Each structure stands twice: as structure tokens, then as C-alpha cells.
Amino acid sequence: MEAVVGRLFVPVEGSGRHVHLTREQVLALFGHELTAKRPLSQPGQFLAGERVTLVGPKGELSNVAVLGPVRKEAQVEISLTDGKLLGIMPPVRLSGQVEGTPGVTLRGPVGELELKQGVMAARRHIHLHPEQARHFGVRDKQVVRLQTLTDRPVIFEDVVVRVSPEYEAAAHLDYDEANACGLGQGGLGRILP
Amino acid sequence: MEAVVGRLFVPVEGSGRHVHLTREQVLALFGHELTAKRPLSQPGQFLAGERVTLVGPKGELSNVAVLGPVRKEAQVEISLTDGKLLGIMPPVRLSGQVEGTPGVTLRGPVGELELKQGVMAARRHIHLHPEQARHFGVRDKQVVRLQTLTDRPVIFEDVVVRVSPEYEAAAHLDYDEANACGLGQGGLGRILP
């Protein structure tokens, strides 16, 4: 049963607001390395036990998730709803495309630091292992549509496929998108050409 | 130009959280009748100068819009994002279908009252005048798809058409949906069968 579902559909996950940090930033904010609290769907990625507060010109968001492992560059992924609250409008970008994005202040238990850039709304995307990409007939960087089998069904256009041997099949939406389609636990989507 | 656009597309509007109240509730909350601050896209409907606070078990939302004119029954339209903050999960309903929906406490400048029911996430819908419905080839209560011509293009499925001589063409999304499609000023949508 699960095998059949996996041949037809991809799991759809809502990504809450979160930050990626460099090792130096982790030490400055928490005074120690990240602790892994829970593994994520992408192999090797984890939710850290540490949390930060985002401070913008119009408001703050506390208890924001930190994902590990550490990266070479910081990235803060928020929804447009979050952006309104903070007073920082995030451009919609693919992960890693931080050039020219706005900054934000991060506050941790032992320190505060100002990011010059890195705030974005993650562009919706689908992670696939090369074998899964072959199966679905799509390639890395291809733009597809994703039809959700959810309470409020939606066909998301302009969804980027990302293929890597390090990936496992999962479509990633932000919380605005997840709420717009009524995504619950175990949500599934269909890749449309 | 505008006429051509109107023949092909419908304006898409994001509806922020808002409440509809009975005359008795207006008097209990504000001590006077509603004052009209700004007309809305639907003829006769207006944004009132008065604002209320929604009080739920987990949080509050202040400065919430009140729409006029008064109705026979109260209705509180919020997004799923708002619902998480308040601790009240709104079912997705068409306007007027308040039976069995959760309640909420409303706080105004001169009084507070508890609604037994009326909290919902508005089911996305398209208002059309009968002539516009004829033009687009759709009828009242028909379920269609709405393709947005926006920054983050989306095809919303399960969109209900509502036809009345009192309506003017407008697709209504909540803010989760508006953010999910990157809706800005002057957003347009195309009705798909």
C-alpha cells in the first residue's frame, strides 16, 4: 500500500518559520554547539533544541526553530504573514539565494546579532532522490505544478524540483501555503507536468 | 482596456479577519450604531469605523474589522493562522453556514459578549452579477477553479460561485490564501471550468 502511494504521490510538508546558522553564529547566540532534538524528512537534517527570537522594526517572533547542521551562511525562512508582523517583507527565494535579501536581528539566550541579509519566504519546492525523479519523469530545477489532496485542494504552480542523492521525496510549503490548502498530517500531492 | 480585462478575468481580493454583527450586538459592544468608514467591493457593504477584539482560549486578536450593515446573525471570519493563535479552529464554511461552528468572546469599548457559534474560515468564493455569470458561463453554487495571475501563481480548486443581482465580480480569498499566491493590489484571476 505504502509503495503504491509512493509511486503516485509525494508527501507534502508545511515548513514553519526557521533559521539556518553558521557555527560562529550558533556559538554567539547560545554559547555552545547545536543539539539535535529530532531528525527531519531530509536525511542528516535536524531540528535543534535551541530556539531564537527574530526582532524586526514592527514586531518580534519568539521561539523560532533552528535547523541543523550549521551552514556556511545564515538564512531565515518566514512566511509573508510573519513578514507583516516583523515589518520585514521577505522576497520569495530558493534556499541559498540570499543575495539582496533583507536582514533581521536574532536574539538568543547568551547573545544578539544582526544579520545583514538572509530573510526570505522559501519558494515552494519538491525534494526528490534521483531515482524518484526518474520515476516521476522530472529533472533537477524543473518547474512543475503540485496538486494537493487536502481539505482545501489547490494546484500550486511554479514549484521547483530539486534532485539530489541526499534527498528523500517531500514537497515543502510554508505555513501560508499549508493553511491555504488545509494541509494536515500525512498530506499528499501529485506532480503535474 | 479595462473592459477587455473584465471580460477575461475577475478581480481577486484578500479578505482580512472580520466580524458581522447583529444590531443588538453592535449596541452592546459600542454603545451606538455602526459608522460607515469605507465602501467595499460588494454594493451596500461597508467597513465600519468600529473595531473589536477577539478573545480565545490561547490568545487575542485586537483591532479586528467590523463589516456593515448589521445582519440577523453574527459571523466571525478568520484564517487558520488566526485560529491557531486564538486556540479556536475554524471550520471552512460558506458565509451564513454558522450551524455547529465554534464560538468566541468579542470585546468592544463599552461591553463584552460571548458568541455561542459563528467562527469560520470563509470558503473561497467568487461573487458575480447574473450578467457576469452568464458571460463566464457559470451558475450560482457552481464549483470552479480559480487561476491567479499573481507572484506565486496558484490554481485554487473547490471555489464556489455565488450569483446575485447585488454582487459585483470579485473573488474572495482569506489572508492565508492571499499570501500563498502572493496577491498584491489589483490581482486578477481566471475562472477555469
Side-chain angles (χ1 to χ4, degrees):
Chain A
M1 184 64 188
E2 231 174 272
V4 172
V5 167
R7 290 186 72 81
L8 296 174
F9 306 109
V10 292
V12 181
E13 303 174 351
S15 297
R17 64 184 78 104
H18 66 266
V19 307
H20 301 276
L21 299 169
T22 67
R23 184 164 180 273
E24 291 65 36
Q25 290 165 340
V26 166
L27 296 177
L29 291 166
F30 307 110
H32 56 76
E33 307 270 358
L34 289 183
T35 57
K37 186 177 171 187
R38 183 167 65 74
L40 300 174
S41 69
Q42 298 312 303
Q45 303 292 304
F46 62 86
L47 172 70
E50 290 72 22
R51 300 262 162 173
V52 287
T53 295
L54 307 182
V55 183
K58 282 201 180 168
E60 300 188 6
L61 286 166
S62 60
N63 205 33
V64 174
V66 178
L67 303 193
V70 293
R71 292 191 177 182
K72 284 194 183 151
E73 198 156 25
Q75 187 166 303
V76 177
E77 299 180 37
I78 62 174
S79 67
L80 302 193
T81 298
D82 293 339
K84 267 171 208 161
L85 191 150
L86 291 173
I88 301 172
M89 278 320 288
V92 178
R93 294 287 184 93
L94 274 186
S95 185
Q97 300 183 339
V98 294
E99 200 60 35
T101 58
V104 68
T105 299
L106 301 181
R107 188 190 300 144
V110 309
E112 196 170 292
L113 56 89
E114 202 152 328
L115 293 184
K116 292 261 185 300
Q117 61 180 25
V119 179
M120 63 174 68
R123 186 169 165 199
R124 47 202 179 221
H125 57 274
I126 302 172
H127 293 278
L128 291 175
H129 188 276
E131 279 178 27
Q132 295 164 332
R134 218 168 5 250
H135 168 70
F136 286 112
V138 295
R139 58 182 193 286
D140 190 43
K141 298 197 179 71
Q142 188 173 338
V143 174
V144 298
R145 294 181 299 159
L146 177 75
Q147 180 173 38
T148 66
L149 286 71
T150 50
D151 278 0
R152 308 167 100 178
V154 159
I155 299 170
F156 290 105
E157 302 193 272
D158 201 21
V159 184
V160 184
V161 172
R162 306 184 61 189
V163 181
S164 161
E166 296 180 6
Y167 291 161
E168 193 46 57
H172 282 173
L173 306 177
D174 72 16
Y175 271 24
D176 286 336
E177 295 165 330
N179 284 329
C181 72
L183 181 66
Q185 284 291 343
L188 294 174
R190 205 153 63 100
I191 298 174
L192 305 180
Chain B
M1 183 65 188
E2 232 174 88
V4 172
V5 167
R7 291 187 71 82
L8 297 174
F9 306 110
V10 292
V12 181
E13 302 175 351
S15 296
R17 63 183 79 103
H18 66 267
V19 307
H20 301 277
L21 299 169
T22 67
R23 183 161 182 272
E24 292 66 34
Q25 291 165 340
V26 166
L27 296 177
L29 291 167
F30 307 110
H32 57 75
E33 308 269 359
L34 288 182
T35 57
K37 187 176 171 188
R38 182 167 64 75
L40 301 174
S41 68
Q42 298 312 302
Q45 304 292 304
F46 61 86
L47 172 70
E50 291 72 22
R51 299 262 163 174
V52 287
T53 295
L54 307 182
V55 183
K58 281 202 183 169
E60 300 188 7
L61 285 166
S62 60
N63 204 33
V64 174
V66 178
L67 303 194
V70 293
R71 292 191 177 181
K72 284 194 184 151
E73 198 155 27
Q75 187 165 304
V76 178
E77 299 180 36
I78 62 174
S79 67
L80 302 192
T81 299
D82 293 339
K84 267 171 209 162
L85 190 150
L86 291 173
I88 300 172
M89 278 320 288
V92 179
R93 294 286 185 93
L94 273 185
S95 186
Q97 301 183 338
V98 294
E99 200 60 35
T101 57
V104 68
T105 299
L106 301 181
R107 188 190 298 144
V110 309
E112 195 170 293
L113 57 88
E114 202 153 326
L115 293 184
K116 292 260 184 302
Q117 61 179 24
V119 179
M120 65 175 65
R123 187 169 163 198
R124 45 200 179 222
H125 56 274
I126 302 172
H127 293 276
L128 292 175
H129 188 275
E131 278 178 29
Q132 295 164 330
R134 222 171 358 253
H135 167 70
F136 286 112
V138 295
R139 59 182 193 286
D140 191 42
K141 299 197 177 71
Q142 187 173 340
V143 174
V144 298
R145 294 181 300 158
L146 177 76
Q147 180 173 39
T148 67
L149 286 73
T150 50
D151 277 359
R152 307 165 101 178
V154 159
I155 299 170
F156 290 105
E157 302 193 272
D158 201 21
V159 184
V160 184
V161 172
R162 307 184 60 187
V163 181
S164 160
E166 296 180 7
Y167 291 161
E168 193 46 57
H172 282 174
L173 305 177
D174 73 16
Y175 271 25
D176 286 336
E177 295 165 332
N179 284 330
C181 72
L183 181 66
Q185 283 292 343
L188 294 173
R190 207 153 60 101
I191 297 174
L192 306 180

